[in-house]
Amino acid sequence: CVQKMRDLYRERRDVLVKGLRQAGWDVPSPEGSMFVWAPIPERFRELGSVGFAKLLLAKAKVAVSPGIGFGEMGDGHVRIALVENTHRIRQGLRGIRSFLQGDNTAPIADGAEVDAA
């Protein structure tokens, strides 16, 4: 059963990393983890991990964990868990691809718009 789980997480990881790279988001492939630590794309770095995570949720309908929640050094990253099946991962990737290649503005708390393009 251990090999079966390893294969399952490897498949999810490969689908996610390949899809993110195809969308223009260069992320490293983890060697042995159920999480992908994705550096925030350069054009969004000024938002920090919380701002970028909120933008992904608002625009791509994808929830990720802001890296700052795991320590100050994590603020340049978001953490993506490989807990969903490959079908759901592909759905999320479509939203991310659309977001990265489309409108990159989203309302923020005070009702103003933030332009991250």
Side-chain angles (χ1 to χ4, degrees), residues 91-112:
Q91 285 178 325
L93 286 167
R94 283 192 294 275
I96 290 170
R97 184 180 321 109
S98 177
F99 160 69
L100 289 175
Q101 297 171 357
D103 175 19
N104 294 319
T105 60
I108 55 176
D110 65 2

Side-chain angles (χ1 to χ4, degrees), residues 40-75:
I40 298 171
E42 184 66 38
R43 69 182 194 236
F44 301 105
R45 288 230 174 99
E46 68 185 34
L47 299 175
S49 62
V50 173
F52 183 64
K54 287 180 178 180
L55 196 58
L56 274 179
L57 185 58
K59 290 295 185 174
K61 307 296 187 243
V62 172
V64 298
S65 298
I68 190 95
F70 303 94
E72 186 177 317
M73 297 300 291
D75 199 27

